[in-house]
Amino acid sequence: MRIDFSERISRLPPYLFAELERIIAEKKRQGKDIISLSIGDPDLPPPPSVLESFRKEAANPANHKYSFSQGEPDFREAVANWYEKRFKVKIDPKSEVIALLGSKEGIANIARAFVNAGDRVLVPDPSYPVYSNGGALLNDGVPLVMPLLEENGYRPDLESLNDAKMMFLNYPNNPTGAVVNESFLKKVIDIAREKNIIVCYDNAYSEIVFDDYKAPSILEIDGAMDVAVEFHSCSKTFNMTGDRIGFAVGNRKLIEGLVKVKTQIDSGPPVYIQKVAKQALESYVNGDPPEHLKTANRTYRQRRDTLVEGLKSIGLECEKPKGTFYVWPRCEEKSMDLTMKLLDVGVVVTPGIGFGKFGEHHIRFALTRPKEEIEEACKRISKVLRR
Ligand SMILES: Cc1ncc(COP(=O)(O)O)c(C=O)c1O
């Protein structure tokens, strides 16, 4: 029998990261000494209190039943309390919160509830590929690129936005490390309300910040609740990438749409993981991050400074990002060519082209390895660039 992929699948671009993972696995199999600064998966462990609540909650038989599709009421309550403490935003846990199997899942599913075939979906470029692929293309939407240019602080030109059904935005930004303030978010909300665009704001890195920067929630902006939904993740905040837990908060019709989709697809994250995430969110004291997070951010900041200074000394210029654990230097040559050369000396980075065409001539480093490895990586990179 001939088996054809759906047109939807055929529209997807090749997933460059999967190809890179294959090459890295092959190099490791050959016994090559690899420093992987490519994937945004923290090397730091979850906080001890999180590991302790895992042991307790997983051991409770009641926590192995189906969850509500929207998430357990006490988890949603904890999210609402966290929002109030962290962002001073009041949320109704009954109708304005949904638990997610990681924020990626919610980002991919939201368009399914609101985008019709052929509807336009604004996606930043460079960006996390899920907005364009899982979000727009797999739901028969048409991705429309908003270039993020260095000269604009990696922000889209809001004045020249096309009409669209939905828009994805992400700050602190992967891959550029750019951050924004409330006045930018206010412009986004004003334009979205004027043009009737649903705003999907990915705030997965809101807690990974440096140099006294505090990431805002888009829901702090007046009128945001009319048009926006915000995505959060426990992956980076509590080093729980593999536990698959995140949440979306925002306009109740947008949350209702996600609930409608997810009720037909999954049954919510495991109850014990929601209990653990609830306790992790409760570890914030009056909106201030717990000690483990402050320590993690000090570690990332130190690594950031080591890397940015190391790169500068060998001719790869870039800013010190105020948020995320990514560093995004410019490079003269094509990003894939440089990535392959660096791979030859055992340094794995992500080529900017993997984040869209406006990511070309950049490479992305993830600060997810210890300082000593970053120093060694800089030595190896300098050999490649001197050649
Ligand atoms: C910008 C951005 N959003 C969302 C995610 C997904 O995170 P999660 O683990 O919550 O699905 C990632 C993961 O790397 C990311 O970089």
Side-chain angles (χ1 to χ4, degrees):
M1 185 180 88
R2 189 180 125 167
I3 300 182
D4 293 323
F5 286 123
S6 66
E7 282 170 24
R8 228 173 276 122
I9 290 279
S10 315
R11 269 182 238 136
L12 289 176
Y15 198 57
L16 197 87
F17 301 146
E19 177 57 9
L20 260 180
E21 272 167 31
R22 195 192 57 72
I23 298 173
I24 296 161
E26 178 58 20
K27 296 253 179 211
K28 282 191 178 154
R29 207 186 50 76
Q30 292 163 359
K32 185 123 190 146
D33 168 25
I34 294 280
I35 301 174
S36 182
L37 301 172
S38 169
I39 300 194
D41 196 353
D43 60 328
L44 307 173
S49 57
V50 162
L51 294 176
E52 186 46 42
S53 49
F54 257 110
R55 273 188 283 273
K56 191 175 112 234
E57 301 300 345
N60 181 353
N63 290 344
H64 291 268
K65 294 191 170 303
Y66 284 122
S67 165
F68 291 100
S69 291
Q70 194 183 344
E72 294 297 288
D74 61 346
F75 173 71
R76 286 184 270 132
E77 189 86 40
V79 169
N81 288 338
W82 183 73
Y83 251 80
E84 185 155 10
K85 282 196 285 181
R86 170 68 179 81
F87 300 114
K88 312 270 181 298
V89 173
K90 271 196 182 306
I91 300 293
D92 176 3
K94 291 198 185 70
S95 57
E96 294 170 341
V97 182
I98 182 171
L100 300 171
L101 298 153
S103 57
K104 181 181 192 178
E105 174 262 303
I107 290 165
N109 275 326
I110 185 88
R112 202 185 277 237
F114 299 99
V115 168
N116 290 313
D119 278 351
R120 306 203 281 190
V121 178
L122 291 163
V123 295
D125 181 338
S127 74
Y128 185 48
V130 179
Y131 313 130
S132 176
N133 300 344
L137 286 176
L138 280 185
N139 294 303
D140 297 335
V142 178
L144 269 193
V145 160
M146 298 182 287
L148 302 189
L149 306 177
E150 189 172 0
E151 58 264 34
N152 298 335
Y154 297 114
R155 292 168 200 172
D157 177 3
L158 295 174
E159 310 305 325
S160 66
L161 280 192
N162 285 302
D163 286 336
K165 183 74 189 270
M166 180 173 269
M167 158 197 234
F168 285 98
L169 279 177
N170 159 233
Y171 295 97
N173 182 261
N174 173 15
T176 66
V179 296
V180 292
N181 55 21
E182 286 82 354
S183 73
F184 170 80
L185 295 179
K186 185 174 177 328
K187 279 193 204 130
V188 170
I189 294 301
D190 287 349
I191 288 174
R193 292 178 75 188
E194 183 194 315
K195 295 188 174 236
N196 254 321
I197 303 175
I198 295 168
V199 179
C200 300
Y201 192 73
D202 180 359
N203 214 345
Y205 294 91
S206 66
E207 307 311 291
I208 311 298
V209 288
F210 320 108
D211 308 335
D212 295 328
Y213 174 73
K214 204 166 179 193
S217 159
I218 199 164
L219 301 179
E220 289 173 35
I221 308 301
D222 280 347
M225 269 295 185
D226 292 344
V227 287
V229 58
E230 178 162 276
F231 294 89
H232 282 275
S233 169
C234 294
S235 292
K236 324 284 168 164
T237 310
F238 303 111
N239 302 326
M240 292 170 66
T241 48
D243 299 316
R244 312 310 303 133
I245 178 98
F247 47 94
V249 176
N251 174 282
R252 63 185 57 186
K253 183 90 183 269
L254 297 177
I255 297 295
E256 187 188 336
L258 254 183
V259 175
K260 279 186 192 295
V261 169
K262 281 168 60 61
T263 309
Q264 303 302 326
I265 296 178
D266 67 65
S267 303
V271 174
Y272 60 93
I273 293 182
Q274 293 184 57
K275 303 272 180 213
V276 173
K278 163 184 175 292
Q279 289 164 41
L281 290 172
E282 286 168 353
S283 67
Y284 272 66
V285 183
N286 296 326
D288 264 350
E291 237 7 84
H292 101 88
L293 188 53
K294 291 184 188 160
T295 309
N297 282 346
R298 274 195 293 272
T299 304
Y300 290 135
R301 194 192 57 209
Q302 212 183 36
R303 293 175 181 180
R304 175 200 71 174
D305 292 349
T306 303
L307 180 63
V308 171
E309 278 148 30
L311 292 177
K312 208 177 254 176
S313 72
I314 54 182
L316 284 178
E317 289 289 332
C318 57
E319 295 282 315
K320 286 185 180 170
K322 287 198 188 309
T324 77
F325 41 56
Y326 301 114
V327 170
W328 180 247
R330 249 198 86 75
C331 55
E332 287 306 314
E333 58 195 302
K334 290 246 164 97
S335 59
M336 197 61 190
D337 293 348
L338 182 56
T339 300
M340 296 316 283
K341 283 186 196 164
L342 296 183
L343 208 49
D344 278 343
V345 294
V347 176
V348 189
V349 299
T350 310
I353 190 72
F355 299 99
K357 85 171 189 214
F358 289 91
E360 189 48 295
H361 294 293
H362 285 85
I363 50 175
R364 190 196 73 175
F365 289 84
L367 300 167
T368 47
R369 298 303 302 157
K371 185 168 172 275
E372 296 69 33
E373 285 190 31
I374 291 177
E375 283 165 347
E376 171 60 22
C378 287
K379 282 190 201 144
R380 295 186 192 180
I381 297 168
S382 78
K383 283 191 201 132
V384 171
L385 293 183
R386 259 193 265 123
R387 267 180 216 154

